[in-house]
C-alpha cells in the first residue's frame, strides 16, 4: 500500500490571451501549490481491475474519475507491466473542495501517476510523468511539479520558479456552489473573443508567452516580495464568474474588506472559481481573517480554510 498527499493549487495570475486551433484557450498563469491535500491510498490488486473509493458524494467512482483515467492511461502505455502487476484500488479521502477552481481532480490524477510510477517501478522522469499528465488534463502537469510555476499553452507547459514567498492563503468556498470550468471558458469566449490576440502568428505567441517571465507577478514571486505578490493578483475569469454568482462577488468584497483591516495582502478568485482566497504572510493573521469571515457570514454552507503555500504538489507518506 502507498499513501500520497495531493495538494490543491491556487492561481496567483491567470490571463487568457487567445484561442488555440485545438479549441482550448491560450493562457499565461502563475500557479501555486497550497497545503490543503487529499489523501490517496493505492492498494495493488492482482487482477487488472481499477476500483475507486471516495468519501465525497459529488466525486464519481467510475471511469470518469480522473484517478481512474490515470490508471487506465498507465495500463495502456505499459501493458507488460500491467500483466505482471494487475490493477489498483484507490481510496480518496477528499479534503480539497470539489468544483472549486483548486484542481482537486487534477491533483488526484497527478498522485496516481506519481504513485504508480513508484509502485510499478516504471522509471518515468518528471518530464515523462508531466507528458502523461497533460493527456489527462491541463492542470495535471503543474500538480505533478508543485511549488510555484509559470504555466503557458493551455496550462500544461510548466516552468517551475525556484523561490516563492512563504505565505498563507485563507480560502473560502460555499460548499453547495460549484462552477463548471468549461462553462467559465465558454462564457469568457462569448463575451471577450473580440479582445483575443491573433495567435496564428508564431512570433506574436512566443512574444506573449515570454512576456510573463518578465512580468510583474513573476518578478514579485522571484524577489519573494509578499506585498507585491498580493498587489499583482489577477484572474481574467472573474469577469464572467463574479457577475453570474452574486454570492461569490459579495464573499470577495467582504474578504477584501476584512483583509484590508487585518493586514491581508490581496484577495482573488482561484481559477474558474468559486473559491476566493486572501493572502497573508502571517499565520496568526490568517487565523484571524478565517474567524472573521466565518463569523461575518455565519453560514454553515461557507467553508473557510487556512492553507500555507507548499513547495510540492505530491508527497509520498513514509
Ligand atoms: P480545475 O480547477 O482544474 O478546473 P476544479 O477544482 O474546478 O478543477 P474538480 O474538483 O477537479 O474541479 O472537479 C470537477 C468535476 O470533476 C467534479 O464535479 C467531478 O464530477 C469530476 N471529478 C472527476 N474525478 C474527480 C476527482 N478525483 N476529484 C474531484 N472531482 C472529480
Amino acid at each position: 500500500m502507498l499513501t500520497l498527499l495531493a495538494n490543491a493549487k491556487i492561481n496567483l495570475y491567470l490571463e487568457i490571451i487567445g484561442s488555440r486551433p485545438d479549441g482550448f484557450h491560450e493562457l499565461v498563469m502563475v500557479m501555486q501549490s497550497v497545503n490543503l491535500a487529499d489523501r490517496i491510498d493505492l492498494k495493488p490488486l492482482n487482477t487488472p481491475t481499477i476500483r475507486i473509493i471516495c468519501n465525497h458524494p459529488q466525486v464519481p467512482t467510475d471511469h470518469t474519475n480522473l484517478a481512474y483515467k490515470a490508471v487506465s492511461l498507465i495500463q495502456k502505455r505499459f501493458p507488460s507491466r500491467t500483466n505482471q502487476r494487475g490493477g489498483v484500488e484507490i481510496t480518496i479521502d477528499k479534503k480539497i473542495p470539489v468544483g472549486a477552481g483548486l484542481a482537486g481532480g487534477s491533483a488526484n490524477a497527478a498522485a496516481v501517476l506519481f504513485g504508480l510510477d513508484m509502485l510499478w517501478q516504471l522509471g518515468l522522469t518528471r518530464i515523462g510523468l508531466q507528458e502523461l499528465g497533460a493527456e489527462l488534463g491541463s492542470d495535471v502537469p503543474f500538480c505533478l511539479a508543485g511549488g510555484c510555476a509559470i504555466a503557458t499553452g493551455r496550462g500544461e507547459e510548466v516552468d517551475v520558479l525556484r523561490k516563492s514567498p512563504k505565505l498563507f492563503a485563507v480560502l473560502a468556498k460555499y460548499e453547495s456552489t460549484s462552477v463548471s470550468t468549461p462553462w467559465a471558458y465558454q462564457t469568457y469566449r462569448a463575451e471577450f473573443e473580440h479582445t483575443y490576440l491573433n495567435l496564428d502568428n508564431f512570433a506574436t505567441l512566443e512574444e506573449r508567452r515570454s512576456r510573463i517571465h518578465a512580468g510583474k507577478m513573476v518578478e514579485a514571486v522571484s524577489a519573494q516580495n509578499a506585498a507585491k505578490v498580493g498587489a499583482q493578483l489577477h484572474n481574467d475569469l472573474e469577469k464572467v464568474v463574479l457577475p453570474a454568482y452574486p454570492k461569490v462577488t459579495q464573499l470577495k468584497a467582504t474578504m477584501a474588506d476584512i483583509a484590508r483591516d487585518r493586514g491581508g495582502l490581496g484577495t482573488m478568485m482561484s481559477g474558474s472559481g468559486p473559491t476566493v482566497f486572501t493572502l497573508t504572510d502571517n499565520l496568526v493573521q490568517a487565523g484571524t481573517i478565517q474567524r472573521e469571515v466565518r463569523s461575518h457570514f455565519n453560514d454553515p454552507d461557507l467553508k473557510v480554510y487556512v492553507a500555507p503555500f507548499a513547495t510540492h504538489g505530491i508527497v509520498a507518506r513514509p
Side-chain angles (χ1 to χ4, degrees), residues 9 11 38 54 58-60 64-67 92 94 96-109 139 178-181 270-274:
K9 63 84 185 159
N11 298 83
D38 289 343
C54 182
Q58 279 166 24
V59 175
T64 62
N65 191 299
L66 274 170
I92 304 170
K94 259 285 157 207
I96 305 174
V98 175
L102 300 174
S106 302
N108 293 175
D139 286 345
S178 290
V179 174
S180 146
T181 305
S270 181
S272 53

Side-chain angles (χ1 to χ4, degrees), residues 125-135 141-142 144-145 156 158:
T125 59
R126 170 60 59 86
I127 300 289
L129 280 171
Q130 288 185 352
E131 280 172 3
L132 281 176
E135 295 185 34
F142 170 75
L144 282 157
E156 87 288 14
V158 174

Side-chain angles (χ1 to χ4, degrees), residues 47-267:
T47 57
T49 317
I50 306 170
R51 194 180 302 139
I52 307 278
I53 300 165
C54 182
N55 57 357
H56 195 296
Q58 279 166 24
V59 175
T61 53
D62 60 7
H63 65 283
T64 62
N65 191 299
L66 274 170
Y68 187 110
K69 290 184 181 177
V71 184
S72 275
L73 182 62
I74 295 275
Q75 288 183 332
K76 209 160 73 196
R77 290 303 154 81
F78 298 91
S80 59
R81 217 26 94 90
T82 304
N83 283 338
Q84 289 164 3
R85 302 284 183 152
V88 64
E89 178 181 278
I90 301 172
T91 306
I92 304 170
D93 180 10
K94 259 285 157 207
K95 293 284 191 297
I96 305 174
V98 175
L102 300 174
S106 302
N108 293 175
V112 170
L113 294 179
F114 184 95
L116 280 186
D117 178 46
M118 280 177 83
L119 275 179
W120 291 4
Q121 296 171 334
L122 301 174
L124 286 161
T125 59
R126 170 60 59 86
I127 300 289
L129 280 171
Q130 288 185 352
E131 280 172 3
L132 281 176
E135 295 185 34
L136 296 167
S138 305
D139 286 345
V140 180
F142 170 75
C143 291
L144 282 157
C148 187
I150 299 170
T152 54
R154 56 184 168 86
E156 87 288 14
E157 290 182 30
V158 174
D159 282 317
V160 174
L161 296 168
R162 216 159 32 87
K163 300 191 282 187
S164 72
K166 291 187 175 35
L167 299 181
F168 302 88
V170 183
L171 304 153
K173 179 185 181 278
Y174 286 103
E175 202 167 29
S176 61
T177 307
S178 290
V179 174
S180 146
T181 305
W183 169 86
Y185 280 101
Q186 279 157 21
T187 309
Y188 193 90
R189 187 192 302 280
E191 288 185 34
F192 295 101
E193 196 163 19
H194 63 280
T195 67
Y196 288 6
L197 282 185
N198 176 7
L199 300 177
D200 291 343
N201 182 336
F202 185 71
T204 312
L205 178 56
E206 282 308 294
E207 191 277 324
R208 200 57 203 79
R209 279 183 181 178
S210 62
R211 211 191 294 167
I212 183 73
H213 291 263
K216 289 206 165 90
M217 177 56 86
V218 171
E219 193 182 292
V221 166
S222 306
Q224 298 188 291
N225 187 324
K228 278 198 183 148
V229 170
Q232 294 303 327
L233 293 174
H234 175 83
N235 183 352
D236 272 341
L237 289 174
E238 282 196 342
K239 291 182 222 164
V240 290
V241 177
L242 295 184
Y245 292 84
K247 264 176 100 168
V248 182
T249 307
Q250 184 55 49
L251 174 63
K252 186 189 169 193
T254 303
M255 281 180 78
D257 284 346
I258 293 172
R260 222 169 284 122
D261 293 345
R262 296 294 171 195
L265 303 166
T267 301

